[in-house]
């Protein structure tokens, strides 16, 4: 595990974008595993900036996103498909047929999840997986207690995650209760894992996840066992480690 200390959110975003940029330069046809949430938005903005300056080319890149709400169509403003297009894909030259997000509009959970695992397999696995971390230690939608050995699967969101995501929907009742998510097994199979974390509210979970025992109760803790895991955090998020 490698920890990179950043001064603040902008510095964290630049450092994370640098690592992603290096991945794309070293392997132009790489597979990037991408994440939603507030934390990576600055990283995406930095990548867009470098793309606009001609410093990075996504034309051969494939992207696979971590998760999607079950039951939301792609064009729903809170779908992760929509989020990724708004915050990254619409502003870079990734080819539309190289973009993959679990299909939240397929009500058949088993079929949707199997299809996604087949896609990840077909593209050759993930070269670099970007992750945020939830206050309860979740990665993707793998909530506390999630089995470490699962591929893509359907999960029930915890009350805490529903609360945290209410800010995006306006109304708690509108937050979907289930999601399709890459499993911990899928995430651990990524050749490199890059986590971004900022803010004092993440300090406790960062300490627990990476300086405490590896346990399904803190899903991110498994990353201690990953051979190439990089955590880029700002001072506030790393203040307890
Ligand atoms: P956040 O979400 O980046 O909005 O804090 C992180 C997560 O829940 O994975």
């Amino acid at each position: 595990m490698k920890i990179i200390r950043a001064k603040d959110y902008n510095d964290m975003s630049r450092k994370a974008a640098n690592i992603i940029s290096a991945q794309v330069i070293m392997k132009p046809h790489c597979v990037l595993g991408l994440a939603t949430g507030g934390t990576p938005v600055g990283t995406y903005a930095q990548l867009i900036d470098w793309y606009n300056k001609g410093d990075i080319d996504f034309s051969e890149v494939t992207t696979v996103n971590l998760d999607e709400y079950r039951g939301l169509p792609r064009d729903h403003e809170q779908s992760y498909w929509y989020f990724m297009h708004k915050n990254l894909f619409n502003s870079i030259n990734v080819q539309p047929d190289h973009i993959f997000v679990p299909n939240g509009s397929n009500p058949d959970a088993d079929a949707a999840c199997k299809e996604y695992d087949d896609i990840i397999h077909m593209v050759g696995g993930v070269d670099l997986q970007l992750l945020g971390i939830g206050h309860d230690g979740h990665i993707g939608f793998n909530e506390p207690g999630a089995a470490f050995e699962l591929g893509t699967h359907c999960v029930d969101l915890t009350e805490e995650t529903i609360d945290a995501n209410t800010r995006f929907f306006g109304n708690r009742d509108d937050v979907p209760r289930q999601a399709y998510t890459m499993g911990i097994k899928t995430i651990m199979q990524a050749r490199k894992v890059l986590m971004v974390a900022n803010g004092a509210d993440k300090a406790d979970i960062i300490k627990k996840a990476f300086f405490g025992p590896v346990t399904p109760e803190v899903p991110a803790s498994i990353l201690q066992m990953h051979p190439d895991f990089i955590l880029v955090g700002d001072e506030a998020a790393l203040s307890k480690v």
Side-chain angles (χ1 to χ4, degrees), residues 36-40 132-135 138-140 165 167-168 202:
T36 55
T39 317
I133 184 169
H135 295 108
H138 70 227
I139 46 178
N165 289 356
R167 69 189 194 273
F168 301 117
K202 295 285 170 74

Side-chain angles (χ1 to χ4, degrees), residues 159-220:
E159 295 300 314
E160 193 177 5
T161 297
I162 294 167
D163 286 343
N165 289 356
T166 296
R167 69 189 194 273
F168 301 117
F169 285 83
N171 183 344
R172 197 176 191 281
D173 289 344
D174 293 339
V175 183
R177 267 35 185 182
Q178 288 187 312
Y180 299 144
T181 186
M182 275 188 202
I184 305 270
K185 185 175 89 178
T186 332
I187 293 169
M188 287 298 282
Q189 283 171 345
R191 291 180 267 279
K192 184 187 280 293
V193 177
L194 169 62
M195 176 177 281
V196 281
N198 76 290
D201 59 314
K202 295 285 170 74
D204 284 329
I205 193 61
I206 291 290
K207 182 172 180 202
K208 212 168 153 188
F210 305 120
F211 295 86
V214 174
T215 162
E217 290 316 310
V218 186

Side-chain angles (χ1 to χ4, degrees), residues 28-153:
H29 60 286
C30 66
V31 178
L32 297 180
L34 298 177
T36 55
T39 317
V41 170
T43 304
Y44 296 149
Q46 182 63 74
L47 290 172
I48 291 167
D49 186 41
W50 287 334
Y51 166 73
N52 286 332
K53 289 180 174 144
D55 290 339
I56 177 165
D57 173 19
F58 293 91
S59 61
E60 293 179 55
V61 168
T62 295
T63 68
V64 289
N65 257 79
L66 274 176
D67 46 18
E68 179 60 282
Y69 289 114
R70 183 180 187 205
L72 286 197
R74 285 178 166 181
D75 59 0
H76 190 288
E77 282 194 14
Q78 292 306 330
S79 77
Y80 288 166
W81 174 272
Y82 191 96
F83 176 101
M84 287 305 303
H85 282 76
K86 180 165 149 245
N87 288 292
L88 182 64
F89 299 149
N90 288 345
S91 306
I92 60 172
N93 64 338
V94 62
Q95 294 181 43
D97 62 348
H98 286 183
I99 292 171
F100 299 98
V101 179
N103 183 1
S105 9
N106 185 351
D108 183 339
D110 288 346
C113 294
K114 179 173 185 317
E115 178 192 56
Y116 206 62
D117 278 340
D118 288 348
I119 287 169
I120 294 169
H121 182 72
M122 184 190 74
V123 300
V126 177
D127 288 299
L128 184 157
Q129 177 66 54
L130 179 65
L131 295 176
I133 184 169
H135 295 108
D136 58 0
H138 70 227
I139 46 178
F141 270 122
N142 295 284
E143 303 280 11
F148 283 157
E149 68 274 13
L150 288 180
T152 306
H153 60 289

